[in-house]
Amino acid sequence: MSHDRRRVMVTGIGLMTAIGQGAAPTWENLLEGRSGIGPLRSYDPAPLQTRIGAEIHDFDPTRWATRRTLRMLCRGDQLALAAAVLALRDAGLEDAGDLGHRTGLFLGSNKEMPRMDELISQLQSVRSPDGTPDLHKLGRTASSVIAPLFFVEGLQPAAGFHISEKFGIRGANAYFAGTADSGAMAVGRAMRTVRRGEADVVVAGGYDDATGWWAMSKMDGLGVLSTRTELGKEAFRPFDRDRSGSVFGEGAAFLILEEREHALARGARCYAEVTGFGSGNDCVRPPSPQARARGLSRAISRALSDAGGSFPDGSYIAAHGCATRQGDASETIALHDALGTAAKAAQISSVKPQTGHLVGGAGALNAAVAALTLDSGVVPATQNLRNPAPECDLDYVPLTPRETGPAKALAVARGLEGQAVAIAMERTS
């Protein structure tokens, strides 16, 4: 088959979020308006300015991997493995045996380090009597202080090995490091891999344990998180006049992308068709975005050009919607710049007030939301949007979902350092 005729379908979705483990419960709770944001409970957040987040309190990693495997997986990696299993199960491929060299795996995440708990406790043993670190003693005793698998566990693409091993995935693969852009980039590159004939099926997605202590302590002072802890789930207010920043959530979002004829031959369900992909960069010093979000505007334009079609009235956009003052304002400008008059006729929403900002998983989650919207015909709402900001002058679907049956959709994502990704989709016939 000629590569330019290869069409790419979403045939499976696996979600792990604070409002659901699986695509169906997460989608149901999104439409019901439920939020997973609340006080952080997995550690004492008192030293932090932001003390709320969307944690998955009932996650049992032993459901998804053996205890031996779990010794080599950080929290985010565990969530990734679970979401990949759910996505392959949803696509009817979980029990297909070794998926082989015609199946690929593309991942995105913000993972930076292994679990530090055990190491911190062990490092107490190499302190001098005056409390300073004794590096000579560490050199002599390192093999007993540092666990043998510490560095293996800390490898950024560790989840890629364990997912590949579990399902015998031996095809095209890549890992993208970043924030929201990374998971979206994984989905976009996966689409191109299938379109070009390098694979028939690709598992693609993003993940992050963004509510953990290390991630929160790193981001707490950058000015991108809401400090309105007293508001609880009401603190995350994208495109609202009273927005004050993001609230992080942990989770993972994975999609199964499959060549259309391959999917139809096995009777697979097709949620949506992925038709375009584009990326760009603001090229400004983080964390403040470029005023017109030129990277995002270019990503959207490229995705629509790649899709080879227009963006008709009533189409859906799964927005980045990070609820920072500059972020939401510049995202709105980018939509105007990229879409022209079509921006005013689009239906746009951010699901982050319910799931939290999944960071490395946020862009992939938006791709999943876009596919679910096209499949169900229901546009999810932007919760907590009660007083739309005048500079955010588009239809951001406040508070209540709409059954409008959009035919096309865009999923967008923005990285902390200016990276931007857009993915175009269409409803299947």
Side-chain angles (χ1 to χ4, degrees):
M1 179 182 293
S2 173
H3 293 177
D4 61 2
R5 294 176 54 196
R6 289 174 66 91
R7 296 166 62 183
V8 185
M9 318 303 287
V10 178
T11 59
I13 299 175
L15 302 179
M16 293 293 296
T17 72
I19 59 171
Q21 298 186 34
T26 296
W27 185 241
E28 178 182 350
N29 286 327
L30 279 175
L31 299 184
E32 290 292 328
R34 299 188 178 96
S35 174
I37 292 174
L40 292 170
R41 290 164 34 188
S42 59
Y43 55 89
D44 182 2
L48 302 174
Q49 298 179 72
T50 300
R51 296 183 292 278
I52 54 176
E55 297 176 305
I56 306 176
H57 297 297
D58 55 350
F59 176 63
D60 179 6
T62 61
R63 287 184 56 198
W64 313 100
T66 64
R67 294 190 182 278
R68 181 174 179 271
T69 296
L70 291 175
R71 291 176 56 203
M72 294 180 283
L73 293 176
C74 299
R75 172 80 169 185
D77 298 329
Q78 294 170 5
L79 294 169
L81 179 58
V85 172
L86 288 169
L88 285 163
R89 180 179 300 169
D90 188 46
L93 294 171
E94 182 187 13
D95 299 318
D98 281 3
L99 296 176
H101 71 279
R102 295 295 299 170
T103 300
L105 178 63
F106 287 70
L107 305 178
S109 181
N110 191 44
K111 179 180 177 180
E112 293 184 336
M113 61 178 66
R115 288 174 291 190
M116 301 294 290
D117 312 49
E118 184 177 344
L119 178 64
I120 290 171
S121 63
Q122 292 291 340
L123 287 177
Q124 299 299 320
S125 66
V126 294
R127 287 191 178 276
S128 301
D130 62 358
T132 59
D134 186 339
L135 298 183
H136 291 286
K137 185 176 182 180
L138 176 61
R140 294 192 305 272
T141 62
S143 60
S144 61
V145 172
I146 301 175
L149 296 176
F150 177 78
F151 296 106
V152 174
E153 178 189 281
L155 293 172
Q156 282 188 305
F161 164 73
H162 293 283
I163 295 170
S164 296
E165 181 191 43
K166 186 176 183 69
F167 295 104
I169 298 173
R170 302 191 300 277
N173 63 92
Y175 174 86
F176 301 94
T179 50
D181 59 295
S182 63
M185 182 67 73
V187 174
R189 292 294 183 182
M191 181 274 282
R192 285 189 178 171
T193 296
V194 175
R195 178 190 280 177
R196 292 171 176 173
E198 298 170 25
D200 296 320
V201 178
V202 177
V203 183
Y207 54 97
D208 218 316
D209 56 346
T211 56
W213 166 255
W214 298 101
M216 288 293 296
S217 62
K218 178 182 71 174
M219 300 296 292
D220 194 53
L222 288 183
V224 298
L225 298 181
S226 174
T227 59
R228 300 294 305 276
T229 295
E230 76 282 0
L231 296 177
K233 65 182 181 181
E234 299 286 329
F236 206 149
R237 300 178 175 183
F239 310 110
D240 194 272
R241 185 178 59 204
D242 301 318
R243 65 190 185 278
S244 58
S246 291
V247 178
F248 279 171
E250 62 177 347
F254 276 68
L255 287 73
I256 306 302
L257 303 189
E258 188 168 353
E259 192 275 324
R260 183 175 183 271
E261 297 306 318
H262 187 277
L264 294 179
R266 66 181 188 87
R269 172 186 182 175
C270 296
Y271 286 92
E273 180 175 357
V274 186
T275 55
F277 161 62
S279 60
N281 201 305
D282 283 350
C283 287
V284 296
R285 187 178 298 278
S288 298
Q290 196 269 340
R292 301 196 74 87
R294 59 192 174 196
L296 178 61
S297 176
R298 178 163 294 184
I300 292 170
S301 297
R302 286 176 170 173
L304 292 178
S305 176
D306 190 33
S310 62
F311 200 62
D313 292 356
S315 296
Y316 174 62
I317 301 173
H320 184 64
C322 64
T324 63
R325 307 301 298 183
Q326 293 175 302
D328 287 2
S330 62
E331 181 172 2
T332 301
I333 293 172
L335 292 171
H336 278 291
D337 288 348
L339 299 175
T341 57
K344 281 286 189 180
Q347 303 177 93
I348 313 164
S349 67
S350 171
V351 301
K352 288 182 176 66
Q354 297 174 259
T355 63
H357 189 325
L358 301 193
V359 190
L365 176 61
N366 271 2
V369 167
L372 288 164
T373 294
L374 293 173
D375 180 64
S376 68
V378 183
V379 173
T382 304
Q383 296 301 324
N384 302 331
L385 178 51
R386 294 182 172 82
N387 300 295
E391 67 273 21
C392 301
D393 59 351
L394 297 175
D395 179 9
Y396 287 111
V397 191
L399 304 178
T400 306
R402 300 173 184 168
E403 295 187 35
T404 54
K408 293 190 177 184
L410 280 169
V412 302
R414 303 177 73 182
L416 184 65
E417 295 187 337
Q419 311 94 318
V421 177
I423 299 168
M425 296 187 185
E426 293 185 9
R427 185 174 61 212
T428 59
S429 57

